[in-house]
Amino acid sequence: MGVTQILFWVLTVLALGSALMVVTSRNPVYSVLYLILCFFAISGHYILMNAQFLAVVNIIVYAGAIMVLFLFVIMLMNLNASVEPQKNKWLKIAGAIAGGCLLLVLVAAFKDADIKTQLVQTKDGEIGLINNLGMALFKDYVVPFEISSVLFLSAMVGAVVIGKKE
Amino acid sequence: MPVNYYIFVALALFSIGVVGVLTRRNAIIVFMCIEIMLNAVNLLLVAFSKMHAAVYAAAAPATVTGTGIDGQLFVFFIMVVAAAEVSVGLAIIVMMYRNIHSVDINFLNRLKH
């Protein structure tokens, strides 16, 4: 078992365990912190597959910007008292069973796929570097890139309009 | 690593997100579980892109260089859209908290009546 396999399993356990803690922890602040841990583990997976640009963007955008936004909202609204009412226990059990059935069906469908022995290129390959991604982004995908800037502008205006006081 | 390990990891993450959306009542935690699902899809897209890069590098080395780059650009655009979605969604949650003083989605049943 090489270093790549060991890192893969460590990052996988970290990602899945912290994702489970996001769902199960009472306090929303703990959920946000475990979600940051989960995103760092996913960034580790990207680095393991030599997708360096996406790893850095994942840390900056998700763990840096979006999670700070979540923390701001939780702390400004003083929601860290964990006052979630425990009304319907059967609803939680039914939800867990439904999600488990979804996982079971998907795993059974993909268990015998043809591509299951194809190797994923780890720790080599050039396509995840910012040189190649930037060339493709500004040559082939320049129109969606510019449209996404319009999307950001409209999202910003929308957030300001929705969030301001009457 | 074989690609089916990545497939199963992404499926497990996605299912954890689905369970969170179905069981939790706090709107912010439901939103975070949606982010987990988006990240599962991102991980699977990057894994498939590296798989295609490996396949084409084995088949025709030095002729096809940019294969699999589309998947990683899709991940980039998914992150862009997720950032915009989170800003608008959190603004909606703040407005909802200001109106009904709670973020419990059980109270959001006014459209039923």
Side-chain angles (χ1 to χ4, degrees):
Chain A
M1 201 148 128
V3 179
T4 307
Q5 271 89 1
I6 294 171
L7 280 176
F8 175 83
W9 287 114
V10 167
L11 289 171
T12 300
V13 168
L14 196 63
L16 292 181
S18 55
L20 273 177
M21 288 304 291
V22 170
V23 176
T24 57
S25 62
R26 300 276 76 172
N27 197 333
V29 176
Y30 289 165
S31 286
V32 173
L33 295 179
Y34 278 116
L35 192 56
I36 292 174
L37 190 63
C38 181
F39 287 162
F40 270 98
I42 290 173
S43 286
H45 269 300
Y46 291 161
I47 291 174
L48 201 64
M49 288 186 278
N50 209 8
Q52 303 170 3
F53 173 68
L54 286 180
V56 174
V57 167
N58 197 36
I59 287 177
I60 291 174
V61 172
Y62 270 111
I66 293 180
M67 286 301 111
V68 168
L69 210 60
F70 272 106
L71 269 182
F72 267 164
V73 169
I74 286 175
M75 291 188 169
L76 283 178
M77 295 197 294
N78 204 9
L79 291 176
N80 44 8
S82 67
V83 285
E84 190 168 337
Q86 287 300 312
K87 263 195 284 190
N88 207 339
K89 197 178 152 198
W90 291 105
L91 212 61
K92 287 190 188 305
I93 296 174
I97 289 175
C101 286
L102 176 70
L103 178 63
L104 192 71
V105 169
L106 286 174
V107 166
F110 281 102
K111 187 164 59 67
D112 294 325
D114 285 339
I115 57 169
K116 71 177 177 182
T117 53
Q118 294 281 353
L119 288 180
V120 173
Q121 217 175 19
T122 50
K123 74 190 176 185
D124 54 354
E126 299 272 309
I127 62 169
L129 306 185
I130 191 165
N131 185 9
N132 300 322
L133 277 180
M135 293 300 273
L137 185 62
F138 286 103
K139 269 183 189 161
D140 304 332
Y141 287 88
V142 64
V143 177
F145 183 73
E146 298 295 336
I147 290 175
S148 71
S149 70
V150 179
L151 174 73
F152 262 125
L153 184 66
S154 63
M156 193 171 72
V157 172
V160 169
V161 167
I162 290 172
K164 83 176 180 203
K165 273 206 159 64
E166 308 290 313
Chain B
M1 299 298 295
V3 74
N4 60 345
Y5 290 175
Y6 282 103
I7 292 175
F8 292 147
V9 171
L11 288 182
L13 267 179
F14 191 87
S15 300
I16 289 171
V18 169
V19 169
V21 169
L22 289 177
T23 56
R24 295 306 296 262
R25 300 288 95 185
N26 192 336
I28 293 179
I29 293 182
V30 169
F31 215 31
M32 285 194 265
C33 292
I34 293 173
E35 297 301 316
I36 291 178
M37 287 195 267
L38 278 173
N39 268 283
V41 174
N42 284 350
L43 180 64
L44 197 55
L45 271 173
V46 175
F48 276 138
S49 109
K50 295 299 285 186
M51 186 197 80
H52 275 285
V55 168
Y56 279 89
T63 57
V64 188
T65 53
T67 310
I69 221 165
D70 301 329
Q72 304 209 2
L73 282 176
F74 265 58
V75 172
F76 177 70
F77 283 116
I78 288 173
M79 284 178 186
V80 167
V81 173
E85 170 226 338
V86 163
S87 65
V88 176
L90 282 177
I92 289 174
I93 287 178
V94 168
M95 186 193 67
M96 172 181 131
Y97 184 75
R98 201 181 285 147
N99 285 335
I100 64 176
H101 299 290
S102 165
V103 289
D104 196 329
I105 59 174
N106 280 332
F107 293 129
L108 287 182
N109 52 6
R110 285 184 203 162
L111 283 180
K112 273 196 330 199
H113 305 302

